[in-house]
Amino acid sequence: MIGDFNLPDVDWMEGSSSAKDRSLIETADEALLEQIVDFPTHIKGNCLDLILTNMPERLYEVTDVGRLGSSDHVMISCSIVINDDDVDTAKTTINWRKADWDSMRRDMAAVNWSSEFDGKNAHEMWNVFSSKIGKTVSENVPERRQQNGGRPAWLNREIKAAINRKRRLWKKAKGGSGVEEYREADKKVKNMIRSAKRNFEKRLANEKGNNNRPFYAYVKKKTKSRSTIGPLKDKENRTITDDKEMAEFLNKFFSSVFTREDVQNVPSAAEMEAPSLETMDITYRMVQEKIRSLKPASAPGPDGIGPQLLQELQKELVPALVLIFRRSIQNGEVPEDWKCANVTPIFKKGSKSDPGNYRPVSLTSVCCKILESIIRDTVMEHLLENNLLNQSQHGFMPRKSCCTNLLEFFEAATKSVDAGNPFDVIFLDFAKSFDKVPRERLLEKIQAHGVRGNI
């Protein structure tokens, strides 16, 4: 809906208004409509001309293009993305619910991993491991077609039959007969749908365990709003809408923000008094505990080996993973597959046409993350046992958090104010701080804390 609503007291950014205009905000919320004009549209500085939509991802380039003649309102220009609804969006996915886990366990138990890995490096060992898993998955796990925007999860056969009967009665009622029968059928269908929805939502809300994905998937579907990517604009103000072009454009932008180091002039970090941590032993128990702690519903990396598969075949796969991890530490190398990631751009805020407003999230190999977690635990144990971290460090520390940091800050602030001293605070924020960590300097600093050798 686009038009001059003439409601100067409504603040759409804050969601506040006078009592007289409150009904529009409430109606928009109930209808899941979003107001996307974020600039003044009247010469007095008020936002009077609005665009209300339940699909904000289809609108972009909402701009002020100036006034026409003596009008006291500006003209609004916006572009709308039109999708072809006739395109077949069905895709094939693995149906893990019907997996033959017993056959897969027998297949993996029959493999002599020590013999298969003999004389191979970590990369070759991983290729053997992943190919064996890929073969047993293809033989024992069926595929299913996944249709986007399928029927509601609460819709059962009984409701569907009642809906079909109501439609037949409607055709009769339009001809002048069976009106009362149609009304009764309509009332029955509404009650059935209301009851089915309520029961389904109760089951989702009371779901036990750590799998919240069905709940959030249902909520996301109910909002009718999809967080899409782009269209994007390059430096020449050219609009990019093709999926492959947008992926390449985002990839180029994400890689451009990384720090390019002068590796010839890396400053030396001051050595700390601490014993060296040069190697580590990876045990079966370590790997088992890490696999048990994985969330079964988490997505796999590019290799397709997810947490559920590792947990179901834990007994058979742990010996292979231990050998691969040990060889990786021993030779100081990682398989090439572990360097690959499925990168998803997550929209943050601002214009969707600006690639700088997307945050990249990487899905890497679950097995690689298990090894990373084991190494991280070993390094943290070394740092804590030798008291190598400053007491002011609260992030990523056991028994410390933002709350403990805030309490210590307030203690220092109030103590200074109570003593009658001025207290100044400087807030700093690093742009893309994790992307810009200089790798060689980081390694130099880690070595200064005693972490050396194969680790």
Side-chain angles (χ1 to χ4, degrees):
M1 294 191 291
I2 304 175
D4 174 13
F5 285 75
N6 197 28
L7 298 172
D9 295 330
V10 177
D11 185 339
W12 290 97
M13 298 294 289
E14 299 292 335
S16 60
S17 68
S18 62
K20 181 181 71 173
D21 301 334
R22 186 68 196 167
S23 58
L24 179 61
I25 292 182
E26 292 174 349
T27 303
D29 288 343
E30 289 174 7
L32 303 174
L33 296 174
E34 184 176 333
Q35 202 291 112
I36 61 175
V37 179
D38 58 0
F39 51 82
T41 65
H42 190 260
I43 57 174
K44 291 185 177 180
N46 298 318
C47 183
L48 305 182
D49 304 88
L50 313 176
I51 299 179
L52 293 164
T53 176
N54 65 348
M55 290 191 174
E57 71 278 1
R58 291 202 175 187
L59 282 82
Y60 71 105
E61 289 184 330
V62 181
T63 56
D64 168 4
V65 292
R67 291 158 53 198
L68 181 64
S70 59
S71 173
D72 54 0
H73 289 254
V74 302
M75 293 183 291
I76 297 175
S77 170
C78 71
S79 300
I80 303 175
V81 180
I82 304 297
N83 293 335
D84 186 357
D85 293 332
D86 295 330
V87 176
D88 183 14
T89 57
K91 61 180 181 180
T92 303
T93 184
I94 295 175
N95 189 359
W96 291 107
R97 291 184 178 180
K98 294 186 177 180
D100 187 351
W101 295 111
D102 291 334
S103 294
M104 295 171 72
R105 291 188 188 98
R106 286 194 294 270
D107 289 346
M108 293 295 98
V111 180
N112 185 334
W113 296 111
S114 297
S115 175
E116 292 284 347
F117 293 160
D118 186 41
K120 293 180 173 62
N121 59 32
H123 175 67
E124 294 167 337
M125 292 167 71
W126 172 258
N127 286 343
V128 172
F129 177 78
S130 58
S131 64
K132 295 282 185 185
I133 290 181
K135 182 181 178 183
T136 192
V137 168
S138 63
E139 292 175 353
N140 297 291
V141 186
E143 293 183 341
R144 63 183 175 89
R145 279 173 63 84
Q146 187 179 32
Q147 187 73 37
N148 290 340
R151 71 180 193 179
W154 47 262
L155 183 62
N156 55 38
R157 290 183 180 179
E158 187 181 357
I159 297 175
K160 202 170 181 181
I163 291 172
N164 291 335
R165 179 174 178 270
K166 188 190 83 165
R167 286 173 179 165
R168 291 193 298 269
L169 291 173
W170 169 244
K171 290 179 181 178
K172 286 176 63 178
K174 283 197 297 183
S177 61
V179 175
E180 285 299 321
E181 192 177 2
Y182 164 75
R183 285 176 178 169
E184 289 180 9
D186 181 49
K187 186 177 179 181
K188 180 182 177 182
V189 166
K190 287 180 179 177
N191 289 334
M192 290 175 72
I193 290 175
R194 193 179 297 115
S195 177
K197 277 185 179 180
R198 183 167 57 247
N199 293 334
F200 176 76
E201 289 171 358
K202 277 184 178 179
R203 285 199 302 274
L204 281 180
N206 296 327
E207 184 74 30
K208 294 181 179 179
N210 296 323
N211 186 12
N212 296 322
R213 292 183 74 182
F215 173 79
Y216 288 112
Y218 180 70
V219 171
K220 186 178 179 182
K221 207 168 187 179
K222 290 284 284 182
T223 62
K224 298 182 183 178
S225 177
R226 300 289 180 267
S227 180
T228 56
I229 308 301
L232 302 172
K233 279 194 170 184
D234 58 17
K235 291 181 179 178
E236 288 75 34
N237 215 29
R238 183 175 64 92
T239 301
I240 304 172
T241 58
D242 180 70
D243 286 347
K244 186 177 180 181
E245 283 189 57
M246 286 197 294
E248 290 174 349
F249 184 57
L250 284 168
N251 182 50
K252 190 175 180 181
F253 174 78
F254 291 151
S255 61
S256 71
V257 303
F258 293 130
T259 298
R260 299 290 187 269
E261 286 186 87
D262 179 7
V263 295
Q264 304 300 324
N265 296 299
V266 177
S268 299
E271 293 285 335
M272 303 188 72
E273 294 183 8
S276 293
L277 174 65
E278 297 190 6
T279 188
M280 60 181 289
D281 183 37
I282 295 177
T283 65
Y284 286 76
R285 185 177 178 181
M286 285 180 181
V287 180
Q288 285 175 334
E289 288 178 352
K290 292 297 180 183
I291 291 178
R292 289 194 194 107
S293 65
L294 295 173
K295 294 181 180 179
S298 296
D303 55 30
I305 302 175
Q308 185 182 9
L309 177 65
L310 294 172
Q311 289 176 340
E312 291 286 350
L313 307 181
Q314 180 185 149
K315 183 180 177 182
E316 293 75 22
L317 298 184
V318 165
L321 289 173
V322 169
L323 293 174
I324 294 171
F325 293 165
R326 285 175 177 173
R327 187 63 52 84
S328 177
I329 294 293
Q330 178 185 344
N331 296 348
E333 62 181 8
V334 296
E336 289 299 316
D337 284 356
W338 292 4
K339 301 177 184 179
C340 297
N342 290 332
V343 181
T344 302
I346 305 298
F347 177 68
K348 296 184 295 183
K349 59 181 179 179
S351 172
K352 286 196 172 184
S353 62
D354 183 1
N357 290 331
Y358 294 87
R359 174 173 58 89
V361 173
S362 298
L363 280 177
T364 55
S365 170
V366 175
C367 296
C368 177
K369 286 190 278 192
I370 290 173
L371 178 57
E372 287 175 351
S373 182
I374 293 173
I375 295 174
R376 181 258 182 199
D377 291 347
T378 304
V379 171
M380 280 298 294
E381 185 179 349
H382 167 78
L383 296 174
L384 294 173
E385 282 184 354
N386 295 287
N387 197 27
L388 297 175
L389 295 177
N390 198 299
Q391 290 300 313
S392 63
Q393 173 69 31
H394 288 255
F396 311 103
M397 294 286 287
R399 294 179 296 280
K400 287 188 176 183
S401 64
C402 291
C403 184
T404 59
N405 192 4
L406 196 61
L407 289 171
E408 285 194 13
F409 166 76
F410 271 122
E411 174 65 21
T414 54
K415 188 175 181 180
S416 178
V417 172
D418 289 345
N421 300 321
F423 192 87
D424 297 329
V425 181
I426 299 175
F427 292 93
L428 299 176
D429 185 28
F430 293 95
K432 300 189 182 297
S433 55
F434 285 98
D435 294 339
K436 293 186 176 180
V437 172
R439 180 177 175 274
E440 295 301 326
R441 285 166 172 76
L442 176 62
L443 290 175
E444 177 70 24
K445 201 166 186 178
I446 289 173
Q447 288 185 10
H449 284 69
V451 182
R452 303 184 179 92
N454 294 342
I455 298 287

